[in-house]
Amino acid sequence: MREACAWVAGEARQVSITQDPTRYAERLLGEAGPAPQEAWDERTHFRGADDETIAYVITLDAINFGSGYFPHLEKRPGHSGYFTIALSLKERFEEKGPLGARELMTIDRDAAAELFGQPPGEPVRDELMGQFAAALAQLGSFVERNFSGSFTRLVEVADASAEGLAAILAGMSFFRDVSHYRGRSVPFLKRAQITASDLALALDGRPPANFTDLDRLTIFADNLVPHVLRLDGILEYAPELVERLERGEPLEAGSEEEVEIRACAVHAVEQMVAGLQRSGRQVSARELDLIIWNRGQASRYRGGSKHRTRTVYY
């Protein structure tokens, strides 16, 4: 994954890394202080018995996509698209209990729309609900067929390895986030990686989410982290690409420019990690992802034009 993203960054035509990422990372850490302590936000995410929490996390991350669709989503007041979805699923688990694997297999577009509070009739929103239904049905079938319906067993089989869990989840097409760029495969596995990270948070590192290799994860390549890096001057986009984004033009999933944006963000953060570690600061890409993602919640980043792609991978 790292090698492929570094190669794309070297070949890219429309995106480039223009500043020393290490200096930027040092400035980030200086502003943020120590790497922030991660915590599972129980205001918007479910936490219950461990088996139920595991089911919630995997179910949520099976549909943790839609950034290119979110302008059309009916959002809860004061909540983004992601938090609207996370909170709706939390309430379902609290009111009726977890969604079992067999129940997930029966969810259709209308049931997904009802579950996530989305009025039917808007074409883009309806398309997203159809994708959610397909992703949930695939997850249910995968867990039922391979793990006798047990989400906990799925995690146990990874044997305390975040990389192992990501590889298991990539057995489902909705998690198999691999692009192709000039004849070469470029894996990102954003949601497969973030599932391991979320499980470690939600279970406070208890088994079976006691992953020993979380520092091996890359950033969770989406559209917000590259956006922050661009506005902060680390990434530079070609003028014609900036014009397209400012017009609100969606980028096609798997297009050269979309792959370049994600890959250059991954590689820039890997350069940050390497530079910081050379100076004796042990910071992981996962921790920098959190810092940059939180930075992206500030108002100055909300006004910019991050790329939008209608994809099931972020």
Side-chain angles (χ1 to χ4, degrees), residues 17 19-29 234 268-279 281 288:
I17 301 170
Q19 288 188 28
D20 180 357
T22 302
R23 290 185 179 180
Y24 172 75
E26 289 171 345
R27 191 166 70 249
L28 274 184
L29 293 178
I234 303 304
V269 174
E270 288 301 318
Q271 289 180 309
M272 295 178 203
V273 171
L276 290 169
Q277 290 183 350
R278 282 194 298 270
S279 65
R281 302 190 71 167
L288 287 174

Side-chain angles (χ1 to χ4, degrees), residues 19-139:
Q19 288 188 28
D20 180 357
T22 302
R23 290 185 179 180
Y24 172 75
E26 289 171 345
R27 191 166 70 249
L28 274 184
L29 293 178
E31 293 172 2
Q37 293 298 308
E38 297 177 282
W40 189 243
D41 184 359
E42 295 185 49
R43 297 169 300 174
T44 52
H45 296 76
F46 173 83
R47 176 180 267 164
D50 284 357
D51 285 354
E52 295 178 342
T53 303
I54 290 169
Y56 172 83
V57 171
I58 297 175
T59 302
L60 175 62
D61 282 328
I63 51 169
N64 185 1
F65 60 84
S67 59
Y69 296 85
F70 283 170
H72 301 264
L73 199 72
E74 189 80 16
K75 302 178 186 69
R76 295 181 179 228
H79 291 79
S80 67
Y82 167 75
F83 285 110
T84 293
I85 299 304
L87 185 55
S88 296
L89 190 63
K90 164 187 163 73
E91 291 174 350
R92 165 57 172 82
F93 271 58
E94 289 175 341
E95 293 168 6
K96 298 182 179 179
L99 286 157
R102 292 186 180 181
E103 186 174 359
L104 289 173
M105 293 165 63
T106 69
I107 290 179
D108 59 16
R109 188 184 71 180
D110 291 343
E114 181 178 359
L115 174 59
F116 298 109
Q118 299 303 306
E122 200 285 327
V124 178
R125 191 165 59 225
D126 286 349
E127 180 183 336
L128 179 61
M129 292 302 104
Q131 295 279 31
F132 275 13
L136 293 173
Q138 184 182 76
L139 173 64

Side-chain angles (χ1 to χ4, degrees), residues 5 155 172 221 254 259 266:
C5 287
V155 181
M172 291 176 276
V259 175
V266 171

Side-chain angles (χ1 to χ4, degrees), residues 174-242:
F174 274 85
F175 277 97
R176 199 177 306 124
D177 178 11
V178 180
S179 294
H180 299 278
Y181 182 85
R182 301 183 195 171
R184 179 169 177 172
S185 294
V186 183
F188 293 105
L189 300 180
K190 184 259 185 178
R191 291 191 296 102
Q193 292 193 84
I194 207 171
T195 301
S197 179
D198 284 348
L199 283 166
L201 286 178
L203 268 66
D204 295 322
R206 296 190 303 278
N210 54 329
F211 304 117
T212 60
D213 57 353
L214 286 172
D215 61 340
R216 288 289 301 153
L217 301 178
T218 69
I219 65 166
F220 311 127
D222 57 6
N223 66 342
L224 179 57
V225 169
H227 175 66
V228 173
L229 295 179
R230 178 172 79 89
L231 293 189
D232 284 353
I234 303 304
L235 298 184
E236 183 176 3
Y237 296 178
E240 59 271 22
L241 177 56
V242 174

